[in-house]
C-alpha cells in the first residue's frame, strides 16, 4: 500500500453508482438514505462527463469514452445538482469517489482537437489505441509533460470545486505509475484522498490504497463458466495471504464490466456466495442493484433505467445485516485469514478469520443437497470444544475439534459462526 494508506479502508463498503441509469443526479440523491442504510461508506460514481459522438458504441455511448473531463453530462443535471449531491453524501457520513479515465478519451474529445500532440500515433501518424476493440477512444501519450500537468490539474479541479474524496482509476495499469505517484503527491495537500486502482498489478500499490481483486475473480468467473475449479479459487486466497497480506484488495462478485452474480448462481446459493464475499479480507464492492439480487446487467451503451421495485427486498435486508456483521465483528473487519481444507474441496470453501481473541468461521456448500463436511483446522485448534453463535440460524452453536484438528459440520447451504474466545 501507499505509505499513508489507512488500515480502516480494509473494512469499507464501496457502492458503484451508474447515475445515467437513475435518470440523473436528483434521482441518485433520492436513493442516498437507502444506500447509507445498507452500510455503505463510499459512493463511487461511474463517469459523469459527456461522452463522445464519433465512433460511439450504442445510442448513448460508453461512459468511459469521455469528451470533456472538466464538465458534467447535461443529461444528468447541472453543476449545482452535482455539488448538492456530493454535500448530501457527506451529510449522511459517506464519501464521494469519482471515476478517473486517464488512459484514453473519446475520439472526438476536446483535447483531441486542441492538443492532438498529446495522443498516441500509429505508423501512419493517425491517433491510435493500445486495445484495438476500444474503437470509440484514442490513447494518451504520456511522454508529453504538459499532458500530465493538465490531468493532475483536472483532479485538483474536482477536489477543489466539488469536494470529491477519492478517485477510482480506470485501467490504471495502462497509465505510467510515475504519473500516479506524482498525482498522489501533488494532491496530498488538498485532502486525504482515497486512491483505488482498477488493476491487479501489485506495483501500483506504490501510489494506490486499494487494487481490484481480479486475481481471484478471473478464477471465479472461469469456475462459473466450467473452465476452472472451486478449489483453485479458494487456494488463491491463501496465495494472496502470502504476498498481499499487508495490502488491501477490493473484493467483488460483480461490477459494470461483469455479469450479475445472480445470473451465475442459483437463488438458493446467492446468500452463501454473498456471505463468502463479506468473509474475505479486504474492502467490499457492491454494484447498483446487487443488493436486490437483480439478474439483468445494466446496458452502459444504450438507454437503460433501474427498476428496483421488482427487486428482492428480503435479500436487501440480508445484505444490510451481513454488512453490519462485517463492520461490527473484529475478525471480519481486519482479522487474519486462513483457508481451511475440507473433504469436499470441489464443492465447498471454508475460511477462518481471527482477531483480538475472536474468531469467525465460514463454510459454504455450493453443491445441491445437504452434506457432512469435515474441516481441517491444520493445527490451529485440536482436542477442544468451541462455543460459538450461528449467525444464519441465530442460535448458539458448539462444535468439537478432535485431536487430529478436524471437525465435522452438517450443512444444507452455508454456516457463519463466531466465538468471543478461541478454544474454550
Amino acid at each position: 500500500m501507499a505509505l499513508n494508506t489507512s488500515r480502516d479502508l480494509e473494512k469499507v463498503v464501496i457502492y458503484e453508482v451508474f447515475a445515467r441509469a437513475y435518470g440523473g443526479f436528483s434521482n441518485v440523491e433520492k436513493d442516498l438514505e437507502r444506500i447509507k442504510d445498507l452500510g455503505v461508506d463510499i459512493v463511487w460514481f461511474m463517469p459523469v462527463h459527456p461522452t463522445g459522438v464519433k465512433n460511439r458504441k450504442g445510442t448513448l455511448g460508453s461512459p468511459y469514452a469521455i469528451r470533456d473531463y472538466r464538465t458534467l453530462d447535461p443529461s444528468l443535471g447541472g453543476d449545482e445538482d452535482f455539488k448538492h449531491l456530493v454535500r448530501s453524501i457527506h451529510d449522511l457520513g459517506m464519501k464521494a469517489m469519482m471515476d478517473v479515465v486517464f488512459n484514453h478519451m473519446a475520439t472526438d474529445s476536446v483535447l483531441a482537437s486542441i492538443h492532438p500532440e498529446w495522443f498516441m500515433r500509429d505508423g501512419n501518424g493517425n491517433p491510435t489505441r493500445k486495445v484495438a476493440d476500444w474503437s470509440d477512444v484514442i490513447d494518451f501519450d504520456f511522454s508529453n509533460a504538459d499532458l500530465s500537468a493538465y490531468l493532475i490539474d483536472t483532479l485538483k479541479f474536482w477536489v477543489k470545486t466539488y469536494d470529491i474524496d477519492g478517485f477510482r482509476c480506470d485501467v490504471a495499469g495502462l497509465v505510467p505509475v510515475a504519473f500516479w505517484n506524482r498525482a498522489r503527491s501533488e494532491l496530498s495537500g488538498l485532502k486525504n484522498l482515497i486512491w483505488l486502482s482498477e488493476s491487479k498489478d501489485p506495483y501500483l500499490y506504490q501510489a494506490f490504497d486499494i487494487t481490484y481483486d481480479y486475481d481471484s475473480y478471473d478464477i471465479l468467473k472461469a469456475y462459473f463458466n466450467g473452465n476452472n475449479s472451486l478449489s483453485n479459487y479458494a487456494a488463491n486466497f491463501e496465495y494472496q495471504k502470502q504476498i498481499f497480506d499487508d495490502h488491501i484488495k477490493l473484493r467483488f462478485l460483480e461490477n459494470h464490466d461483469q455479469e450479475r452474480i445472480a445470473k451465475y448462481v442459483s437463488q438458493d446459493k446467492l446468500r452463501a456466495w454473498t456471505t463468502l464475499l463479506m468473509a474475505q479480507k479486504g474492502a467490499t464492492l457492491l454494484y447498483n442493484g446487487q443488493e436486490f439480487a437483480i439478474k439483468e446487467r445494466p446496458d452502459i451503451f444504450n438507454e437503460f433505467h433501474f427498476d428496483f421495485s421488482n427487486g428482492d427486498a428480503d435479500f436487501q435486508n440480508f445484505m444490510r445485516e451481513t454488512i453490519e456483521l462485517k463492520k461490527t465483528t473484529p475478525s471480519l473487519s481486519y482479522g487474519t485469514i486462513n483457508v481451511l481444507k475440507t473433504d469436499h474441496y470441489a464443492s465447498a470453501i471454508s475460511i477462518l478469520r481471527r482477531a483480538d481473541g475472536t474468531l469467525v468461521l465460514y463454510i459454504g456448500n455450493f453443491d445441491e443437497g445437504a452434506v457432512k463436511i469435515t474441516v481441517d483446522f491444520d493445527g490451529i485448534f485440536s482436542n477442544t470444544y468451541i462455543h460459538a453463535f450461528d449467525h444464519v440460524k441465530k442460535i448458539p452453536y458448539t462444535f468439537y475439534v478432535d485431536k487430529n484438528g478436524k471437525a465435522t459440520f452438517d450443512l444444507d447451504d452455508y454456516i457463519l459462526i463466531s466465538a468471543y474466545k478461541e478454544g474454550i
Side-chain angles (χ1 to χ4, degrees):
M1 298 180 294
L3 292 176
N4 60 342
T5 295
S6 169
R7 296 301 315 190
D8 289 341
L9 293 177
E10 191 168 310
K11 57 184 179 182
V12 299
V13 175
I14 301 174
Y15 191 84
E16 180 182 2
V17 167
F18 186 16
R20 193 166 77 189
Y22 271 96
F25 298 138
S26 61
N27 288 331
V28 174
E29 187 162 347
K30 293 174 185 176
D31 201 29
L32 284 181
E33 289 194 10
R34 183 193 66 82
I35 292 172
K36 170 64 177 179
D37 190 51
L38 273 177
V40 170
D41 302 288
I42 301 170
V43 177
W44 150 36
F45 293 102
M46 290 170 60
V48 292
H49 314 290
T51 60
V53 176
K54 184 181 178 182
N55 300 323
R56 173 178 281 183
K57 292 185 177 183
T59 58
L60 297 181
S62 168
Y64 292 87
I66 296 169
R67 190 169 187 277
D68 187 350
Y69 288 135
R70 298 189 183 183
T71 61
L72 295 162
D73 183 344
S75 70
L76 301 179
D79 186 70
E80 289 303 317
D81 295 317
F82 190 59
K83 286 180 179 177
H84 195 273
L85 174 56
V86 173
R87 283 198 298 270
S88 296
I89 289 170
H90 291 161
D91 288 345
L92 287 169
M94 297 184 290
K95 295 183 181 295
M97 175 180 283
M98 284 189 66
D99 225 318
V100 170
V101 189
F102 281 176
N103 174 67
H104 52 254
M105 285 190 86
T107 54
D108 58 347
S109 72
V110 294
L111 294 186
S113 61
I114 63 176
H115 284 293
E117 73 278 10
W118 287 0
F119 293 86
M120 288 176 54
R121 302 280 165 173
D122 62 19
N124 297 318
N126 298 313
T128 188
R129 64 199 64 84
K130 293 184 281 291
V131 181
D133 185 55
W134 296 352
S135 56
D136 53 348
V137 300
I138 51 176
D139 287 7
F140 284 118
D141 177 0
F142 276 87
S143 66
N144 192 303
D146 291 337
L147 166 64
S148 293
Y150 177 87
L151 296 178
I152 290 172
D153 284 345
T154 298
L155 297 175
K156 293 177 181 177
F157 166 78
W158 288 100
V159 175
K160 291 178 180 179
T161 309
Y162 297 92
D163 202 16
I164 293 300
D165 302 296
F167 299 104
R168 178 266 188 193
C169 301
D170 188 65
V171 290
L174 296 182
V175 175
V177 69
F179 168 82
W180 295 123
N181 279 320
R182 177 183 168 187
R184 180 167 186 143
S185 176
E186 290 199 24
L187 271 74
S188 62
L190 297 180
K191 199 174 189 180
N192 186 21
L193 297 165
I194 302 165
W195 295 83
L196 167 61
S197 163
E198 193 234 349
S199 172
K200 63 183 179 182
D201 299 318
Y203 68 87
L204 287 173
Y205 279 115
Q206 295 176 43
F208 288 90
D209 302 303
I210 311 170
T211 68
Y212 268 48
D213 182 29
Y214 272 116
D215 323 45
S216 300
Y217 182 80
D218 288 345
I219 301 172
L220 179 63
K221 186 176 179 179
Y223 164 71
F224 287 146
N225 291 323
N227 298 319
N228 213 319
S229 67
L230 187 66
S231 59
N232 281 346
Y233 175 61
N236 199 63
F237 298 150
E238 194 65 28
Y239 166 73
Q240 285 189 3
K241 177 184 175 182
Q242 304 304 318
I243 61 173
F244 290 127
D245 201 41
D246 292 327
H247 300 78
I248 302 174
K249 284 282 188 180
L250 182 67
R251 310 293 182 179
F252 60 91
L253 291 173
E254 61 182 65
N255 59 50
H256 69 267
D257 285 323
Q258 309 299 332
E259 292 289 352
R260 293 285 199 185
I261 183 62
K263 185 174 180 178
Y264 276 127
V265 305
S266 61
Q267 195 71 20
D268 62 337
K269 293 298 179 183
L270 194 54
R271 296 190 180 208
W273 280 107
T274 300
T275 305
L276 173 60
L277 172 68
M278 299 297 175
Q280 294 174 40
K281 183 179 173 66
T284 305
L285 173 66
L286 301 180
Y287 183 36
N288 248 167
Q290 181 177 346
E291 67 275 20
F292 288 111
I294 292 173
K295 293 183 179 181
E296 183 182 16
R297 180 180 175 183
D299 187 338
I300 68 169
F301 303 105
N302 300 288
E303 194 79 25
F304 180 91
H305 293 284
F306 288 126
D307 181 7
F308 296 153
S309 64
N310 296 321
D312 187 336
D314 288 339
F315 190 78
Q316 180 183 224
N317 292 334
F318 156 78
M319 182 79 80
R320 183 189 305 110
E321 292 174 359
T322 309
I323 290 173
E324 182 180 8
L325 184 64
K326 181 178 179 68
K327 288 175 173 291
T328 58
T329 307
S331 296
L332 290 178
S333 293
Y334 54 84
T336 61
I337 183 170
N338 291 88
V339 179
L340 305 178
K341 295 178 181 178
T342 78
D343 59 347
H344 285 67
Y345 61 89
S347 59
I349 290 178
S350 181
I351 288 176
L352 179 69
R353 301 289 307 274
R354 290 180 292 162
D356 301 339
T358 68
L359 69 86
V360 170
L361 176 67
Y362 168 87
I363 311 172
N365 167 32
F366 301 112
D367 210 349
E368 298 301 326
V371 293
K372 286 185 179 293
I373 294 179
T374 298
V375 175
D376 187 350
F377 285 87
D378 194 27
I380 298 172
F381 305 120
S382 64
N383 193 29
T384 186
Y385 282 97
I386 296 181
H387 305 292
F389 183 79
D390 183 338
H391 293 281
V392 180
K393 296 181 179 178
K394 295 181 172 47
I395 57 173
Y397 189 99
T398 297
F399 64 95
Y400 175 66
V401 183
D402 67 22
K403 63 181 181 180
N404 297 314
K406 296 181 179 181
T408 300
F409 302 83
D410 291 310
L411 248 65
D412 292 322
D413 188 11
Y414 73 100
I415 193 169
L416 186 73
I417 55 180
S418 64
Y420 291 104
K421 293 182 180 179
E422 298 176 354
I424 298 176

